[in-house]
Amino acid sequence: MRVLVTGGAGYIGSHTTLALLEAGHDVLVVDDLSNSSEESLRRVTELTGRTPGFVKANVRDEAALDAAFAGFTPDAVIHFAGWKAVGESTQIPLTYYRENLGSTFTLLEAMAKHGCHRIVFSSSATVYGDMSEPPFTEDAPTGATNPYGRTKHMIEQILQDVAAADPSLTVGVLRYFNPIGAHESGRIGEDPKGIPNNLLPFVAQVAAGRREKLMIFGDDYPTPDGTGTRDYIHVVDLAAGHLAALGKLAEASGYHVWNLGTGNPTSVLDIVKAFEKASGITIPYQIVARRPGDVASSYADPTKANAELGWSARLTIDDACADAYRWQSSNPNGFADA
Ligand code: UD1
């Protein structure tokens, strides 16, 4: 299959590009490198012995996208590209709406023009917000509590409308829980710019000596140890979920939503312990106030993806911590070390 991957140089995008190439698919990455590095794609080539095509462009760039579709004639698209920091999205909401919605419009128009009828979209468990109790099934109520989350929620609705209007279009929305870990080679991984917002990269940087200590945001949640619980899923399992979804869409029609999670809640303190075990390094931490907007607990009911995609998460939190530590310790400054 020929797969056009937007945002394919990023964290989840690069792991999925690698999995696609390993499975024998041809890949064209469209990425403006605004929050990623072309070095990730060089390493994907090193790991797979295959080279993905690459176009450096913003997905909103109609001319660039048109040329990419005309030259590559993709059978399917995976749409990762997007801005993804919750806090930042409350500061510059217009940028989030312009980039995340605008890129989706340009992409859907290019697909229609060039006769590409299959799309997998990166959504987020953030759409479950705090409206119901986990484990979340795909038919739980959805909404959003910040501009980033609203872009994901809006794009889901847009895709549903577009699929309803065009019976030839097949859409798979993947709601990711919390992706962590890295490829087992330690050659590609998560490379956040500035101070990491997310737990795992922050813990990894504390282990590497780049940050003094972890701030744990609250220990008075109604969870077994008082810290927030999440459904952490290894990025390699997540990448495999995209291949399963692409395969399913080849034989399906219409609009589909699947949770990609393990179904297991893990606390912040459990993650600290797992990372200490994987690295042999003590992670200093301090309990501080809850982070505004955080929920106590979020985890998937992955039954639908398990049954319909024939996919389930295989790797453990210990695997993810070992792989994240391998990536962090061999690339202390991420791809900038290359
Ligand atoms: C966050 C976003 C979510 C987004 C996802 C994508 C928020 C409120 N939510 O999810 O919308 O889809 O990232 O990556 O930002 N924690 C600490 N100390 C830290 C960092 C995190 O204690 O320095 C805790 C959090 O309170 C939470 C857990 O670790 O309990 C996971 O946090 P994080 O990695 O930021 O993910 P989410 O908040 O679940």
Side-chain angles (χ1 to χ4, degrees):
M1 201 186 299
R2 303 166 68 77
V3 188
L4 188 146
V5 180
T6 77
Y11 173 44
I12 307 171
S14 58
H15 287 81
T16 304
T17 295
L18 182 147
L20 287 165
L21 292 171
E22 277 183 337
H25 300 294
D26 294 319
V27 178
L28 177 67
V29 169
V30 179
D31 195 308
D32 67 1
L33 304 180
S34 57
N35 191 29
S36 59
S37 164
E38 204 179 340
E39 177 64 16
S40 68
L41 297 179
R42 279 192 281 277
R43 295 194 183 179
V44 164
T45 298
E46 162 201 308
L47 291 166
T48 62
R50 300 192 58 210
T51 304
F54 175 59
V55 173
K56 182 175 184 292
N58 187 297
V59 180
R60 290 190 301 112
D61 181 338
E62 284 175 33
L65 210 60
D66 191 55
F69 271 81
F72 186 63
T73 59
D75 302 303
V77 166
I78 306 181
H79 184 28
F80 291 106
W83 290 47
K84 60 166 192 175
V86 173
E88 183 183 60
S89 80
T90 65
Q91 307 296 316
I92 50 168
L94 267 181
T95 302
Y96 273 69
Y97 290 118
R98 185 186 64 228
E99 293 293 331
N100 292 3
L101 299 179
S103 62
T104 305
F105 299 149
T106 311
L107 187 61
L108 288 169
E109 281 166 358
M111 288 175 65
K113 179 177 170 190
H114 292 277
C116 179
H117 304 295
R118 219 179 303 162
I119 180 169
V120 171
F121 173 63
S122 297
S123 190
S124 167
T126 195
V127 301
Y128 296 118
D130 55 6
M131 275 154 294
S132 60
E133 291 299 313
F136 300 118
T137 56
E138 288 81 353
D139 56 10
T142 57
T145 54
N146 56 71
Y148 156 76
R150 267 188 279 283
T151 67
K152 293 294 182 191
H153 192 232
M154 286 176 186
I155 292 167
E156 288 194 0
Q157 293 170 300
I158 290 163
L159 288 168
Q160 198 165 5
D161 288 341
V162 174
D166 176 3
S168 75
L169 187 67
T170 310
V171 177
V173 163
L174 301 181
R175 291 184 183 149
Y176 309 152
F177 282 74
N178 289 59
I180 60 169
H183 189 260
E184 63 177 359
S185 64
R187 296 294 289 159
I188 58 173
E190 187 170 14
D191 183 19
K193 289 204 167 81
I195 301 172
N197 297 305
N198 295 117
L199 178 62
L200 237 289
F202 201 102
V203 169
Q205 292 191 6
V206 172
R210 269 177 80 180
R211 318 243 164 234
E212 191 198 336
K213 61 184 170 190
L214 170 71
M215 305 294 174
I216 295 185
F217 300 139
D219 68 349
D220 56 353
Y221 283 108
T223 58
D225 66 21
T227 64
T229 62
R230 296 290 184 271
D231 186 339
Y232 296 96
I233 175 170
H234 197 298
V235 67
V236 169
D237 278 333
L238 195 65
H242 291 73
L243 272 73
L246 272 185
K248 179 71 184 178
L249 293 187
E251 58 184 51
S253 61
Y255 176 86
H256 305 267
V257 182
W258 292 293
N259 284 337
L260 294 186
T262 67
N264 305 316
T266 301
S267 76
V268 178
L269 285 170
D270 290 335
I271 290 285
V272 169
K273 279 182 225 137
F275 205 94
E276 288 182 334
K277 189 170 119 194
S279 64
I281 294 171
T282 301
I283 307 293
Y285 66 81
Q286 181 184 348
I287 308 288
V288 298
R290 291 182 180 189
R291 182 171 62 180
D294 273 0
V295 295
S297 181
S298 169
Y299 58 99
D301 179 335
T303 308
K304 186 168 181 248
N306 297 164
E308 294 184 5
L309 304 181
W311 167 91
S312 59
R314 294 181 308 105
L315 298 164
T316 64
I317 298 287
D318 288 345
D319 294 327
C321 289
D323 294 334
Y325 180 63
R326 192 175 302 111
W327 154 251
Q328 178 68 48
S329 52
S330 49
N331 305 269
N333 301 298
F335 292 115
D337 286 330

